[in-house]
Amino acid sequence: MRASRLLSLLLLLQTRGRMTAADLSAELEVSIRTVYRDMEALSSAGVPIYADRGPAGGYQLLDGYRTKLTGLTEAEASSLFLAGLPGPAADLGLAELAAAAELKLLAALPPGPRSQAARMRERFLLDVPGWHRGAEDVPFLAEVAAAVWEQRPLRLTYRRWGPAEVRRDVLPYGLVLKGGSWYLAAECDGSMRTYRVARILTLAGLPGRFERGEFDLPAFWERFSAEFAARLYTGTARIRLAPGGEGLLAYTIGEERAAPALALAEPDPDRPGWTVLEIPVEGLNGARWTLLRMGALIEVLGPADLRAMMAEAALGMAEMYR
């Protein structure tokens, strides 16, 4: 256990440069005292580590020092090949580079891990786009990715929801692949925004470079996703749910919204086995088309406008199929 931790500590310093004891403690999930002891052990073993004191201090390897203790276990080698996504790599213009890197990695592995990695690649496939939707056309993705990497500003024409088109000058900070769609995280007019790359109509590079700073892409995307969901589901609907309808409800509105609602469901005094609960909805029109997918497994009790819209749709369908 300690040997593995010492190797992880050494590789962290090699890949990230100077790190404080507090940073190493948080990364390795050990106490700062343990970090101090591990540093002494590495130094005693001849690893050239030096420490700088002060607010900007920390531990660092001697410039130019590289360790060759980077061997992969069979499980690590297996999981690594699950990260190889041919589709997104091709979208980014990196298909040949990714294939070459995979080939070199396979050649560098010992026979055991190499065989395990090959079996993993043969038996597992990651297909990013969801069902009932093909891969989006993203003709400007490679150029956007290059601008993200080189920290170069962009001018783009963008198609928003509906027919509106806008022109924006942006500083591209990162790309996110979500559900088969690429999104650009970029600064525009002093604030961070997201742009669906498939909706970029024209693209041109602008002169100069910008400083990216300490932007944390995963943290930004997590915050954006939560805020987007909060903006999207602004209303609630009170429904009566038939016995056994919990699974279809979770499929229809999403597990993350159905689970809290079902946990607060109450038995319906008028219909044995049925329950009454409140669910988040996008709005009246969105809720109508979403809840119609539930058929006779639900009855909308409120708001009154939504109940009337559901009744109108049901009567129209009944008349059509009469």
Side-chain angles (χ1 to χ4, degrees):
M1 180 68 177
R2 191 188 184 200
S4 175
R5 189 177 69 245
L6 290 174
L7 177 58
S8 297
L9 191 154
L10 181 57
L11 293 177
L12 280 171
L13 293 178
Q14 179 171 303
T15 55
R16 300 189 187 179
R18 180 183 291 128
M19 296 183 69
T20 66
D23 291 337
L24 291 166
S25 170
E27 189 74 32
L28 299 173
E29 298 182 349
V30 297
S31 67
I32 293 181
R33 187 184 297 272
T34 299
V35 172
Y36 291 152
R37 289 198 299 265
D38 288 348
M39 285 299 181
E40 291 179 3
L42 287 173
S43 183
S44 299
V47 177
I49 295 176
Y50 65 91
D52 291 328
R53 298 183 181 275
Y59 290 100
Q60 186 172 348
L61 292 172
L62 185 68
D63 288 345
Y65 177 81
R66 305 286 295 177
T67 178
K68 295 184 178 179
L69 297 176
T70 55
L72 297 174
T73 66
E74 290 194 11
E76 290 168 342
S78 301
S79 63
L80 182 61
F81 282 89
L82 281 178
L85 298 174
D91 290 342
L92 290 168
L94 301 176
E96 293 185 6
L97 291 175
E102 182 179 330
L103 182 61
K104 290 179 180 179
L105 179 58
L106 278 172
L109 290 174
R114 184 189 309 156
S115 174
Q116 187 81 349
R119 286 200 298 272
M120 180 69 72
R121 185 178 56 183
E122 291 169 355
R123 302 180 188 188
F124 294 92
L125 175 67
L126 300 181
D127 186 13
V128 176
W131 291 107
H132 312 302
R133 54 180 298 187
E136 290 187 326
D137 185 20
V138 282
F140 297 109
L141 180 60
E143 290 88 340
V144 171
V148 168
W149 185 253
E150 298 168 4
Q151 297 175 215
R152 298 193 180 278
L154 293 171
R155 173 168 293 165
L156 53 88
T157 305
Y158 186 75
R159 187 183 74 252
R160 297 195 294 193
W161 289 104
E165 295 180 7
V166 294
R167 173 185 267 189
R168 294 288 185 263
D169 290 349
V170 303
L171 305 180
Y173 278 66
L175 282 166
V176 176
L177 181 61
K178 171 71 172 179
S181 297
W182 286 97
Y183 294 87
L184 170 66
E187 181 182 338
C188 180
D189 296 332
S191 63
M192 289 301 302
R193 305 181 188 181
T194 60
Y195 300 89
R196 194 161 174 168
V197 179
R199 292 193 180 140
I200 296 177
L201 303 177
T202 66
L203 186 75
L206 296 176
R209 299 185 64 186
F210 66 93
E211 291 299 323
R212 191 173 182 274
E214 298 298 325
F215 178 72
D216 187 333
L217 181 60
F220 164 78
W221 185 256
E222 181 178 0
R223 186 170 60 253
F224 164 78
S225 299
E227 293 172 354
F228 177 77
R231 292 194 305 269
L232 188 62
Y233 297 95
T234 56
T236 59
R238 188 169 179 82
I239 66 170
R240 178 181 282 137
L241 182 66
E246 296 83 2
L248 182 57
L249 179 67
Y251 177 81
T252 302
I253 69 171
E255 179 67 31
E256 66 277 11
R257 285 172 289 279
L262 289 169
L264 299 175
E266 300 176 351
D268 187 344
D270 299 325
R271 295 188 185 180
W274 288 60
T275 55
V276 176
L277 62 151
E278 291 190 353
I279 60 173
V281 293
E282 298 180 40
L284 294 182
N285 281 324
R288 171 180 56 175
W289 299 121
T290 297
L291 296 180
L292 280 172
R293 298 166 63 186
M294 296 284 298
L297 289 179
I298 69 162
E299 178 187 353
V300 172
L301 303 177
D305 288 346
L306 178 58
R307 181 178 173 88
M309 293 170 70
M310 294 287 289
E312 181 183 5
L315 286 173
M317 293 177 64
E319 182 66 27
M320 183 183 301
Y321 289 103
R322 185 175 302 228

